[in-house]
């Protein structure tokens, strides 16, 4: 946040407070209501270097939907909402799960390819590799006659 907006939090009014305030009898659709009369205080906050797991624990323990992010002087840097926290945590969990699934799938495919290759090698017991005049290697089975050019025929 720009320095001019970094203030100490004295109270908070959330999106859940507004309908309740407007529904209270005697209120004229919010006219004449002052923030200091309806804000919730104290504002709960956490340092900007607090681990996300600790923030989640604190919000769950205190049943908070909003938590001020404070610098080392207690000035507000921003807000963490339960919604934004859940979005971030679910994105991280999804990324971890996809990474795990990808690694597992790669291992499965590698194992299957090795098994197929071994089956091929087992089916051709006398496999010989010849190098053609261009430097490419070609497989040749001992049951075939191979020309000097690396071509195999029956």
């Amino acid at each position: 946040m720009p320095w001019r907006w970094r203030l100490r939090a004295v109270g908070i009014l959330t999106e859940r407070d507004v309908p309740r305030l407007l529904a209270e009898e005697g209120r004229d659709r919010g006219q004449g209501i002052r923030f200091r009369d309806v804000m919730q205080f104290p504002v709960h906050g956490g340092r900007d270097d607090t681990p996300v797991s600790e923030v989640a624990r604190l919000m769950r323990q205190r049943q908070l939907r909003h938590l001020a992010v404070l610098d080392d002087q207690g000035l507000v840097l921003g807000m963490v909402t339960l919604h934004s926290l859940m979005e971030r945590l679910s994105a991280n969990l999804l990324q971890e799960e996809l990474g795990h699934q990808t690694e597992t799938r790669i291992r499965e495919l590698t194992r299957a390819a090795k098994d197929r290759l071994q089956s091929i090698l087992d089916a051709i017991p006398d496999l010989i590799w010849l190098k053609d005049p261009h430097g490419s290697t070609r497989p040749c089975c001992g049951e075939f006659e191979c020309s000097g050019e690396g071509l195999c025929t029956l």
Side-chain angles (χ1 to χ4, degrees):
M1 291 182 124
W3 64 270
R4 66 181 178 273
W5 295 109
R6 292 181 51 207
L7 306 170
R8 293 198 192 282
V10 293
I12 187 170
L13 182 69
T14 70
E15 74 278 0
R16 288 190 167 207
D17 296 324
V18 174
R20 177 183 51 82
L21 292 171
L22 294 176
E24 287 181 5
E25 289 189 36
R27 301 280 186 184
D28 185 18
R29 305 297 289 166
Q31 299 297 317
I33 300 174
R34 294 178 296 190
F35 179 68
R36 68 174 173 248
D37 296 331
V38 295
M39 69 181 184
Q40 296 179 34
F41 58 91
V43 175
H44 298 281
R47 295 269 315 257
D48 61 341
D49 58 354
T50 303
V52 172
S53 59
E54 178 64 20
V55 170
R57 186 195 63 75
L58 178 66
M59 291 178 79
R60 186 184 73 241
Q61 183 181 43
R62 294 186 182 174
Q63 298 180 344
L64 302 173
R65 296 182 53 82
H66 300 83
L67 188 73
V69 179
L70 309 172
D71 66 9
D72 56 351
Q73 298 170 358
L75 300 177
V76 177
L77 296 172
M79 294 292 288
V80 173
T81 65
L82 185 59
H83 180 79
S84 65
L85 184 63
M86 291 300 106
E87 271 184 346
R88 182 60 183 235
L89 290 175
S90 61
N92 287 349
L93 289 173
L94 180 60
Q95 186 176 13
E96 286 176 19
E97 180 60 26
L98 288 175
H100 173 71
Q101 288 179 5
T102 301
E103 290 172 11
T104 300
R105 185 68 180 141
I106 289 171
R107 282 193 300 272
E108 290 171 355
L109 291 172
T110 302
R111 188 173 342 155
K114 285 180 180 178
D115 290 345
R116 278 190 296 248
L117 180 59
Q118 188 61 52
S119 296
I120 291 169
L121 293 175
D122 290 344
I124 307 173
D126 298 324
L127 188 63
I128 301 169
W129 291 89
L130 299 176
K131 189 178 248 186
D132 68 17
H134 304 291
S136 299
T137 56
R138 302 201 184 262
C140 182
C141 179
E143 297 176 9
F144 294 97
E145 291 183 22
C146 299
S147 70
E149 297 175 1
L151 300 175
C152 299
T153 59
L154 283 174

